[in-house]
Amino acid sequence: MNKLKLVMIGNGMAGVRTIEELLKIAPGLYDITVFGAEAHPNYNRILLSPVLAGEQTVQDIVLNSWEWYEENGITLHAGKKVVDVDRVRRIVRAEDGTEAAYDRLLMCTGSTPFMLPVPGKDLKGVIAYRDIADTDYMIEAARTHRHAVVIGGGLLGLEAANGLMLRGMKVTVVHVMPWLMERQLDDVAGKLLQGSLEERGLNFMIGAQTQELVDNGEGQVGAIRFKDGTELPADLVVMAVGIRPNIGLAQQIHLHCERGIVVDDTMQTVTDARIYSVGECAQHRGVAYGLVAPLFEQAQVAANHLAQMGIGRYAGSQTSTKLKVTGIDLFSAGEFMGGEGCEEIVMSDPVEGVYKKLVIKDGKLVGACLYGDTADGSWYFKLLRERSDVSGIRDELMFGGPHD
Ligand SMILES: Cc1cc2nc3c(=O)[nH]c(=O)nc-3n(C[C@H](O)[C@H](O)[C@H](O)COP(=O)(O)OP(=O)(O)OC[C@H]3O[C@@H](n4cnc5c(N)ncnc54)[C@H](O)[C@@H]3O)c2cc1C
């Protein structure tokens, strides 16, 4: 009997997780073909930061080896970017002409880093931080150059800055907002974080606005110039100012896209019943996620439907954040800034460098921001996700969950 054909575009974390789930519940249902623009098997993108910091190697972070694809009968076209999909004939075509026919198509193209549209952004030495190639580029730059500037003091920017510093570069983080990681931390925690990173040797320019990246005369970046006219030397500029769902191909083949590829609660695209989408490229109930935990939940639901079980529903996710800079403990989730109708319970110990803020609304924990002691982060996150009534334990809440 001819098997159904499943083709996946994008050999990244969300897509491969979907296939893993599918193989668990419906092994043998499909002939599977995977196209990946990167010339690597699926790896743990999150762990690029420890690789940059010299704590792990690229080999350590591979999630699915070449053999895994072979053992599971998956045809992998690594290093082949898909440039077209014929939705009528149901054929996918890669840049080099490789084609594959499908009965079901899974679009998992991830995100594209946003590059600030400033003069000089195309100079050599100006990069984003997304994949193994970027990480290798930074490791090489640190061997041969001295001054690095990271634009963006969010999670990704700080992890890049920390890695480059550990590799011996003099690093300045340029952040236009009033404090670091403003989307995950309040001002108190953001400033504590800045203090700890300064003690380790990072430099910061908070509130600075980038005007231009300056050519060193050889087509390579040599400096960064700010709106106030000041300049800093920069042999390497890493832009970490945000990501955009990678929807170019989806738009080209007329799938309905807003910020991401619009999918329903089964992760099926709203345009074409044969096409599913999971990961950072997908937009579900108006949200395109940028962290892996929700993407793995999406993967489970998509696998369930690809397996023709038809019962899974994705209802959206709560997200939480940790920073992967060794020795810095930070956790944030939910509505950590508080606001109208919220009460805040705050504990601050500046000497120990510990700060905790819990936000409660209508008897429920709706946000948490922890710095310096994150031992109870997962307990708070559980309360938050389960929307538990915490009125009865309000007084003990700050002291954390059940301890052994
Ligand atoms: C340095 C770094 C640190 C991070 N740290 C964390 C963290 O601590 N916690 C967390 O939750 N998240 C973290 N993230 C984010 C996390 O890695 C992403 O959310 C996750 O990888 C997204 O999975 P995805 O499958 O949607 O996209 P990706 O993993 O990016 O996979 C998409 C793949 O599709 C390929 N592709 C795109 N277009 C095509 C095409 N036309 N043809 C073929 N292939 C194509 C891309 O090359 C890519 O390999 C981090 C990201 C980075 C870069």
Side-chain angles (χ1 to χ4, degrees):
M1 195 183 87
N2 274 350
K3 282 192 198 175
L4 289 168
K5 294 185 184 67
L6 172 66
V7 172
M8 182 166 92
I9 306 177
N11 185 28
M13 297 189 73
V16 178
R17 175 57 76 96
T18 310
I19 292 188
E20 285 179 340
E21 297 281 351
L22 180 63
L23 291 173
K24 270 193 245 162
I25 53 177
L29 181 61
Y30 289 98
D31 269 332
I32 303 175
T33 303
V34 175
F35 287 85
E38 294 181 72
H40 300 281
N42 178 41
Y43 60 90
N44 191 337
R45 196 172 300 284
I46 293 180
L47 297 181
L48 286 175
S49 300
V51 171
L52 180 63
E55 294 160 359
Q56 295 199 35
T57 65
V58 166
Q59 208 43 48
D60 295 334
I61 69 167
V62 169
L63 289 170
N64 303 81
S65 64
W66 300 111
E67 293 76 36
W68 177 85
Y69 293 86
E70 236 177 84
E71 283 159 13
N72 287 287
I74 298 167
T75 305
L76 172 62
H77 296 296
K80 294 193 183 182
K81 183 176 173 190
V82 172
V83 289
D84 200 14
V85 177
D86 181 335
R87 282 176 43 209
V88 177
R89 291 167 59 225
R90 301 206 304 269
I91 290 177
V92 163
R93 186 167 51 80
E95 223 164 12
D96 70 342
T98 308
E99 290 191 341
Y102 67 85
D103 296 300
R104 297 281 181 282
L105 180 65
L106 188 54
M107 304 267 301
C108 319
T109 48
S111 287
T112 315
F114 177 68
M115 301 300 274
L116 279 186
V118 290
K121 72 176 172 42
D122 297 319
L123 288 170
K124 254 172 72 189
V126 180
I127 62 160
Y129 185 20
R130 180 72 191 173
D131 54 26
I132 289 181
D134 299 328
T135 311
D136 284 346
Y137 190 98
M138 285 192 262
I139 292 172
E140 185 51 29
R143 257 199 283 273
T144 49
H145 292 88
R146 173 90 183 110
H147 298 283
V149 167
V150 175
I151 305 180
L155 180 102
L156 206 63
L158 295 178
E159 291 185 2
N162 178 62
L164 291 168
M165 178 184 70
L166 291 175
R167 288 196 178 261
M169 293 193 92
K170 184 170 165 23
V171 186
T172 303
V173 177
V174 174
H175 191 55
V176 73
M177 302 306 280
W179 65 86
L180 298 177
M181 290 182 69
E182 78 286 345
R183 286 168 57 206
Q184 289 91 10
L185 300 179
D186 67 5
D187 54 340
V188 179
K191 284 173 184 159
L192 278 170
L193 172 64
Q194 184 179 338
S196 316
L197 292 171
E198 278 167 346
E199 273 170 31
R200 288 156 176 253
L202 282 180
N203 305 297
F204 290 92
M205 291 195 56
I206 301 294
Q209 293 191 31
T210 305
Q211 168 93 36
E212 181 180 356
L213 304 175
V214 186
D215 194 330
N216 73 349
E218 295 168 15
Q220 155 88 35
V221 67
I224 176 169
R225 185 176 299 140
F226 299 103
K227 289 234 161 94
D228 65 2
T230 54
E231 277 190 21
L232 267 184
D235 313 306
L236 171 72
V237 172
V238 181
M239 291 217 194
V241 289
I243 52 173
R244 300 278 181 276
N246 182 0
I247 55 171
L249 178 63
Q251 284 175 319
Q252 181 190 316
I253 63 170
H254 306 293
L255 295 181
H256 177 53
C257 295
E258 288 169 4
R259 186 177 159 79
I261 305 169
V262 179
V263 294
D264 63 17
D265 288 0
T266 69
M267 305 314 291
Q268 194 174 42
T269 60
V270 294
T271 316
D272 187 331
R274 292 186 182 268
I275 307 184
Y276 287 75
S277 179
V278 296
E280 288 185 348
C281 61
Q283 174 183 322
H284 172 264
R285 297 191 190 175
V287 184
Y289 293 90
L291 294 166
V292 287
L295 311 184
F296 286 173
E297 293 176 31
Q298 296 179 350
Q300 206 166 16
V301 172
N304 179 289
H305 287 272
L306 288 169
Q308 301 176 337
M309 292 179 169
I311 44 172
R313 288 284 180 279
Y314 179 62
S317 306
Q318 282 273 4
T319 57
S320 67
T321 308
K322 285 179 188 164
L323 182 72
K324 301 186 300 302
V325 169
T326 307
I328 292 191
D329 292 321
L330 166 169
F331 172 89
S332 141
E335 298 169 36
F336 63 89
M337 286 300 278
E340 222 181 286
C342 295
E343 306 166 56
E344 294 172 11
I345 310 179
V346 175
M347 197 281 277
S348 173
D349 181 349
V351 177
E352 290 294 322
V354 175
Y355 171 77
K356 300 185 188 185
K357 176 162 114 182
L358 301 176
V359 179
I360 296 174
K361 193 175 185 180
D362 301 329
K364 299 191 173 89
L365 185 68
V366 293
C369 172
L370 312 178
Y371 186 86
D373 174 5
T374 56
D376 292 307
S378 43
W379 182 62
Y380 292 134
F381 191 47
K382 187 164 178 285
L383 294 176
L384 203 141
R385 277 168 52 145
E386 290 173 358
R387 305 180 60 76
S388 311
D389 186 345
V390 295
S391 327
I393 54 168
R394 192 186 179 288
D395 292 349
E396 302 108 69
L397 208 52
M398 187 51 89
F399 303 105
H403 295 281
D404 299 329

